[in-house]
Amino acid sequence: MQTQQNVGELACLVDHIAQTDGDYGTQIPSLTLYRRSSATAPMPCIYGLSLGLAVQGSKRVTLNDEIFDYAAGQSLITSVDLPVVSYVTCASSSEPYLGMRLELDARVIAQLATEMEFSTPLQVATMRAMSVVTLDKALTDALARLIRLLAEPQLIPVLAPLIQQEIVIRLLNGVHGPNLRRLVAVGSPSQQIARVLTLLKQHYTDDVPMDELAAKAHMSPSTFRQHFHVVTGMSPLQYLKNLRLQDARQLMLNENLDAGSAALRVGYESATQFSREYSRLFGAPPNRDIKRIRTSF
């Protein structure tokens, strides 16, 4: 009951700021608020290291074939960059979906994890880099304080980092903790895969041989593929395709590139293959998809 009351306070805080449908960046750069007055169409996107929270309504995120549903009071944590499909499943004009996302800093997580003592040792087993957990009162209190701080902009530079550190400490000490600790545990399989994901993001337009990626992770190719799939829910090739297609979509939207130019820019040699894989991910060929997005604005 107390958790519901606390989430209710968060909903009021978000509703006060996000009064019409949209995404709301805030004066705390890592904090974004959301409002939707109806269910939304599936939207492929990249979720980075972050904490997502539904404070009213519900949302679904799919990672390849895996489904993550979360509703008011539940949180979705992502510990590495993952290509997902995200959409609001429960919302109405009288009771809109309200949510928030807080980006997390791996360096802060690593620093705080080394300073903390944990009751159970960290298991070396690799786990999926995404999980859903119901928030406890202490964490929702900290998130509410972070949003209330937006009303005192002069204090944000001093207090926001402290509240965000508290949030990370509570995450590390809670159910989400093992996933975050694996991310920053030196030499752990999860950390090695996270390093490879960073490399792929930096060089996604290049054809990087599998053996080279495995060597970067200090693993054999078969072990690398196994750990990569456990962490991301997909193969390295699927991950690379998602990065390329997501970026091509942004290039067409933001730089007005045609499909052929965008395909070449992100590393495709065949326009036909690009169009086929783009349609499979976004549900329509490039030109039709971009036109649909623009007319919906």
Side-chain angles (χ1 to χ4, degrees):
M1 183 64 179
Q2 183 61 53
T3 300
Q4 292 177 341
Q5 291 174 351
N6 217 54
V7 172
E9 180 189 4
L10 276 173
C12 290
L13 290 168
V14 174
D15 182 65
H16 179 71
I17 297 171
Q19 297 185 7
T20 58
D21 283 6
D23 301 352
Y24 290 78
T26 69
Q27 288 180 280
I28 301 171
S30 55
L31 176 66
T32 306
L33 308 179
Y34 303 92
R35 182 190 185 102
R36 299 289 186 273
S37 58
S38 62
T40 62
M43 175 63 72
C45 55
I46 302 289
Y47 274 12
L49 174 58
S50 60
L51 172 71
L53 173 65
V55 297
Q56 186 170 279
S58 59
K59 194 170 187 180
R60 170 171 288 183
V61 173
T62 60
L63 176 63
N64 207 6
D65 295 327
E66 202 166 353
I67 295 173
F68 297 84
D69 287 314
Y70 61 111
Q74 291 184 302
S75 61
L76 177 83
I77 199 157
T78 311
S79 55
V80 299
D81 290 344
L82 294 176
V84 301
V85 176
S86 169
Y87 51 107
V88 172
T89 53
C90 182
S92 66
S93 56
S94 60
E95 193 168 327
Y97 170 82
L98 299 171
M100 59 186 294
R101 177 164 298 277
L102 181 65
E103 296 175 7
L104 304 175
D105 189 327
R107 292 168 298 181
V108 172
I109 294 171
Q111 177 187 343
L112 294 173
T114 60
E115 297 172 359
M116 296 174 63
E117 293 185 6
F118 300 98
S119 56
T120 56
L122 183 64
Q123 302 297 316
V124 296
T126 311
M127 292 179 63
R128 182 77 78 245
M130 181 173 280
S131 56
V132 174
V133 172
T134 299
L135 290 184
D136 59 32
K137 179 181 182 302
L139 193 48
T140 49
D141 278 344
L143 290 166
R145 279 188 275 112
L146 189 65
I147 296 178
R148 285 199 298 269
L149 189 61
L150 295 172
E152 302 178 278
Q154 73 279 9
L155 298 180
I156 288 175
V158 177
L159 289 182
L162 299 179
I163 299 174
Q164 288 173 280
Q165 283 187 17
E166 178 190 348
I167 290 168
V168 169
I169 290 169
R170 293 192 180 281
L171 288 172
L172 285 168
N173 200 49
V175 182
H176 285 310
N179 257 357
L180 293 177
R181 290 165 62 194
R182 286 185 183 90
L183 169 69
V184 298
V186 176
S188 71
S190 292
Q191 191 214 33
Q192 301 289 17
I193 295 300
R195 289 176 64 244
V196 170
L197 294 179
T198 299
L199 178 71
L200 282 174
K201 281 191 66 181
Q202 294 170 344
H203 302 284
Y204 69 93
T205 60
D206 303 328
D207 290 323
V208 185
M210 176 70 66
D211 289 353
E212 183 177 328
L213 292 175
K216 293 285 185 183
H218 306 291
M219 299 175 186
S220 69
S222 60
T223 301
F224 169 72
R225 282 193 295 270
Q226 178 185 353
H227 283 295
F228 193 100
H229 192 277
V230 171
V231 171
T232 68
M234 61 191 70
S235 70
L237 181 58
Q238 285 176 300
Y239 187 90
L240 185 61
K241 284 181 180 178
N242 268 277
L243 290 181
R244 288 177 171 178
L245 293 169
Q246 297 272 11
D247 193 50
R249 194 188 211 193
Q250 292 304 312
L251 288 171
M252 287 185 284
L253 281 171
N254 299 331
E255 298 186 21
N256 294 316
L257 292 187
D258 59 65
S261 299
L264 288 173
R265 180 84 71 88
V266 300
Y268 275 88
E269 296 180 358
S270 166
T272 302
Q273 181 185 2
F274 170 74
S275 182
R276 182 172 61 250
E277 294 180 353
Y278 188 102
S279 299
R280 189 178 300 129
L281 178 61
F282 296 110
N287 292 338
R288 193 190 310 164
D289 176 59
I290 298 303
K291 183 178 180 180
R292 178 179 61 187
I293 294 173
R294 287 184 172 143
T295 55
S296 67
F297 287 159

